[in-house]
């Protein structure tokens, strides 16, 4: 396929960053329609790390580290616009609360987590202590929860807080290596992570605290996202997107883009927003 | 654009040998699609994350893209470890700093290039009572803190023999013991 800049057709897609571009692959059921994979955005001079999707306005958001910034564009073919340009050093993970109309991101040099409205206004630091290498961040909008991972080699951890940074707690600190990717699946209430140190995908119900292994022996995961029965992760050694059936714990598919280079963040672009509301959307 | 039917519709890709290209439909811009390992950009003119150089020599001589050279003092799991053009290291670890992570950070001393992490850069930990201006930095090589008068030790934590009162914060005073009545 020609990697042209193109609008995203209807349906649910995976969006993933490959250095200077954001690609999409349509999902048919849970299968990747690999032949229809294309670039949504070509930004060859950028290094894109995190991607997030706003299902309300159908916009993709991303973090970029060469001239550290956060930008967005309509997936129906809009111009990229920077929404945050100042006071960033190494923005990596990004997550959206589509109900509260806010975005959250981690910065691994400033060692903090910030929030802002989707247009970049009303920016505020919500966590600025006890962070070493924060990367993945994910929201659970209906419950107003935030989850993030810190791959600090001395003491890796996965933490949670409310969306204003209050009620911060460490969820997991044992048997972690390099938890690079996080995803939260609302229907099953499962928080899952992909770990490039333990080479495992694991999940946990954050309120019950029970932890289970989905798959072991994976190579070098970076980003991870979930959709229905599948977990999809990007891999730095395979330069590909790998699909794992979370119930059988087996790899079900792989997609390797034509250009062989590192893949970074990945997210699911739902055709329709999951329903729900939270206190930020009400107040 | 071969659909127009003129002789110069198809032109060679403006890319390094063997690299394919495509036309972006909206902007009609030509983009190289599979640049060699370590390179990226519309014309393969940039280095990928984790590499540095100037592969087409846009700002001087041609420098192929090389993996970041940061004295083994970066973490391979990090992103943006060096500036993609100059190679300046941006994410030094083990308390190192400098263009190549080749020296110790302010407030640390030792050999940033030592093979063992434990031998790399240690905190100066200068004693505030014995150090000039309560400085926290020390000689990057020896670790010697800048001591007040008559104060000894690498970290300025003790008086020289024959001196006392480190607590004063102004250096140590001579004991002035009478040599006849003292045993040292």
């Amino acid at each position: 396929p020609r990697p042209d800049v193109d609008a995203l057709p209807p349906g649910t897609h995976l969006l993933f960053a490959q250095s200077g571009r954001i690609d999409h692959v349509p999902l048919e059921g849970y299968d990747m329609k690999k032949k229809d994979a294309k670039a949504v955005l070509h930004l060859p001079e950028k290094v894109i790390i995190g991607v997030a999707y706003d299902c309300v306005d159908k916009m993709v958001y991303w973090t970029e580290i060469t001239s550290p910034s956060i930008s967005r564009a309509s997936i129906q073919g809009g111009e990229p616009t920077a929404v945050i340009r100042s006071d960033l050093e190494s923005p990596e993970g990004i997550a959206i609360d589509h109900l509260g109309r806010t975005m959250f991101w981690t910065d691994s040099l400033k060692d903090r987590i910030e929030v802002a409205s989707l247009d970049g206004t009303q920016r505020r630091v919500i966590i600025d202590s006890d962070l070493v290498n924060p990367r993945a961040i994910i929201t659970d909008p209906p419950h107003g929860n935030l989850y993030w991972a810190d791959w600090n080699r001395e003491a890796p951890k996965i933490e949670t807080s409310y969306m204003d940074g209050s009620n911060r707690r460490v969820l997991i600190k044992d048997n972690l290596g390099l938890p690079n990717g996080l995803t939260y699946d609302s229907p099953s209430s499962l928080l899952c992570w992909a770990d490039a140190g333990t080479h495992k995908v694991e999940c946990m119900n954050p309120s019950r605290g029970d932890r289970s292994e989905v798959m072991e022996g994976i190579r070098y995961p970076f980003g991870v996202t979930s959709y229905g029965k599948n977990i999809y992760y990007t891999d730095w050694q395979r330069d590909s997107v790998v699909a794992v059936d979370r119930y059988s714990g087996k790899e079900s598919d792989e997609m390797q883009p034509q250009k062989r280079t590192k893949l970074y963040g990945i997210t699911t672009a739902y055709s329709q927003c999951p329903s729900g509301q939270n206190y930020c959307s009400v107040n | 654009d071969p659909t127009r039917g003129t002789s110069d519709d198809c032109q060679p890709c403006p890319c390094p040998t063997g690299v394919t290209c495509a036309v972006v439909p909206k902007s009609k811009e030509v983009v190289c699609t599979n640049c060699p390992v370590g390179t990226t950009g519309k014309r393969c003119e940039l280095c990928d994350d984790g590499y540095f150089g100037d592969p087409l020599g846009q700002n001087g001589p041609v420098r192929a893209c090389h993996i970041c050279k940061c004295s083994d003092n970066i973490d391979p799991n990090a992103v943006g470890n060096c500036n993609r053009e100059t190679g300046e290291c941006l994410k030094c670890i083990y308390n190192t700093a400098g263009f190549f992570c080749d020296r110790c950070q302010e407030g640390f001393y030792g050999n940033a290039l030592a093979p063992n992490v434990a031998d790399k850069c240690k905190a100066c930990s200068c004693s505030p009572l014995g150090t000039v201006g309560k400085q926290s930095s020390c000689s990057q090589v020896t670790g010697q803190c800048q001591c007040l008068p008559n104060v000894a030790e690498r970290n300025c934590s003790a008086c020289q023999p024959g001196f006392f009162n480190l607590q004063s914060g102004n250096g140590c005073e001579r004991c002035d013991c009478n040599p006849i009545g003292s045993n040292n």
Side-chain angles (χ1 to χ4, degrees):
Chain A
R2 282 166 36 145
D4 297 343
V5 177
D6 215 349
L8 209 56
T12 296
H13 301 257
L14 297 177
L15 295 174
F16 59 92
Q18 189 181 29
S19 197
R21 53 194 273 179
I22 295 175
D23 282 13
H24 80 94
V25 53
L27 293 174
E28 192 169 56
Y30 300 112
D31 296 331
M32 295 190 283
K33 290 175 74 181
K34 293 186 259 187
K35 285 207 190 87
D36 297 330
K38 275 186 184 173
V40 192
L41 271 168
H42 252 292
L43 302 163
E45 66 283 9
K46 309 289 188 193
V47 174
I48 298 165
I49 305 295
V51 284
Y53 179 69
D54 172 29
C55 55
V56 176
D57 291 334
K58 308 210 180 295
M59 304 269 263
V60 58
Y61 288 73
W62 64 92
T63 59
E64 194 273 307
I65 56 168
T66 58
S67 49
S69 57
I70 295 173
S71 305
R72 65 178 178 184
S74 164
I75 55 145
Q76 279 141 347
E79 280 296 305
T81 316
V83 287
I84 306 267
R85 272 187 266 212
S86 61
D87 209 21
L88 293 172
E89 285 186 53
S90 186
E92 296 189 16
I94 182 165
I96 284 169
D97 169 12
H98 68 277
L99 299 174
R101 313 307 296 148
T102 54
M103 60 182 171
F104 300 83
W105 68 91
T106 58
D107 189 314
S108 73
L109 279 175
K110 291 201 166 288
D111 292 334
R112 60 195 195 189
I113 295 174
E114 295 192 67
V115 64
S117 297
L118 292 175
D119 61 3
T121 61
Q122 298 186 15
R123 179 177 175 182
R124 200 161 73 83
V125 176
I126 53 167
I127 304 280
D128 64 355
S129 61
D130 299 316
L131 295 175
V132 175
N133 281 313
R135 174 166 285 161
I137 186 162
I138 207 84
T139 57
D140 168 18
H143 299 105
N145 292 325
L146 200 60
Y147 300 96
W148 68 90
D150 184 329
W151 61 267
N152 171 21
R153 282 184 194 263
E154 256 101 82
K157 59 184 174 177
I158 297 173
E159 295 191 89
T160 184
S161 77
Y162 295 153
M163 285 182 169
D164 60 357
S166 66
N167 196 29
R168 178 181 181 184
R169 286 160 295 139
V170 175
L171 277 180
I172 304 152
K173 59 180 171 54
D174 298 324
N175 302 312
L176 290 178
L178 299 169
N180 279 334
L182 268 185
T183 179
Y184 184 79
D185 181 57
S186 280
S188 61
S189 302
L190 279 181
L191 177 74
C192 301
W193 63 97
D195 192 316
T198 62
H199 304 282
K200 287 178 183 175
V201 178
E202 292 184 83
C203 296
M204 177 174 129
N205 180 317
S207 48
R208 287 208 307 266
D210 51 341
R211 181 171 171 176
S212 62
E213 190 177 303
V214 173
M215 196 178 177
E216 61 179 359
I218 62 173
R219 295 273 292 277
Y220 205 104
F222 187 87
V224 64
T225 189
S226 46
Y227 181 60
K229 71 178 178 66
N230 278 355
I231 285 176
Y232 303 89
Y233 68 89
T234 56
D235 191 299
W236 268 13
Q237 287 177 4
R238 298 167 62 168
D239 295 332
S240 61
V241 177
V242 182
V244 173
D245 181 316
R246 69 159 99 184
Y247 299 108
S248 72
K250 291 207 167 66
E251 183 174 324
S252 57
D253 204 1
E254 177 187 19
M255 195 199 82
Q256 193 168 57
Q258 184 197 9
K259 180 167 164 57
R260 292 295 303 269
T261 173
K262 276 181 184 170
L263 306 187
Y264 297 87
I266 184 167
T267 192
T268 308
Y270 293 92
S271 56
Q272 281 186 313
C273 283
S275 58
Q277 63 172 37
N278 66 14
Y279 55 85
C280 294
S281 60
V282 177
N283 182 7
Chain B
D1 181 1
T3 59
R4 288 191 300 179
T6 61
S7 60
D8 56 355
D9 282 353
C10 291
Q11 290 173 17
C13 285
C15 305
T17 320
V19 172
T20 55
C21 64
V23 181
V24 177
K26 216 165 53 181
S27 62
K28 303 287 177 217
E29 199 173 27
V30 180
V31 176
C32 305
T33 51
N34 57 348
C35 295
V37 174
T39 67
T40 185
K42 285 175 194 152
R43 301 279 183 274
C44 309
E45 78 281 20
L46 297 168
C47 295
D48 255 333
D49 184 35
Y51 293 81
F52 73 99
D54 186 1
L56 296 190
Q58 291 186 312
N59 292 310
V62 171
R63 289 177 293 129
C65 295
H66 286 286
I67 288 178
C68 298
K69 283 186 186 143
C70 300
S71 315
D72 283 333
N73 289 331
I74 48 171
D75 194 305
N77 195 53
V79 296
N81 270 324
C82 72
N83 179 298
R84 57 171 25 178
E85 204 201 321
T86 65
E88 180 180 5
C89 299
L90 304 174
K91 290 196 168 172
C92 302
I93 54 173
Y94 308 130
N95 306 314
T96 64
F99 200 94
F100 300 108
C101 304
D102 52 347
R103 58 178 181 79
C104 293
Q105 251 177 42
E106 263 319 275
F108 292 81
Y109 74 100
N111 176 10
L113 306 179
N116 289 326
V117 173
D119 303 334
K120 285 181 189 280
C121 298
K122 295 177 274 283
C124 296
S125 328
C126 301
S127 165
L129 287 172
T131 306
V132 174
K134 296 185 177 165
Q135 290 173 11
S136 56
S137 57
C138 58
S139 156
Q140 296 230 322
V141 181
T142 62
Q144 181 63 53
C145 300
Q146 202 186 338
C147 297
L148 289 163
N150 308 315
V151 175
E153 302 288 313
R154 183 199 64 74
N155 60 354
C156 309
S157 60
C159 290
Q160 285 174 5
F163 292 81
F164 77 110
N165 199 10
L166 181 69
Q167 264 61 30
S168 73
N170 300 313
C172 298
E173 299 165 42
R174 189 175 296 276
C175 295
D176 270 337
C177 304
N178 190 316
I180 297 169
S182 311
N183 63 15
N184 68 30

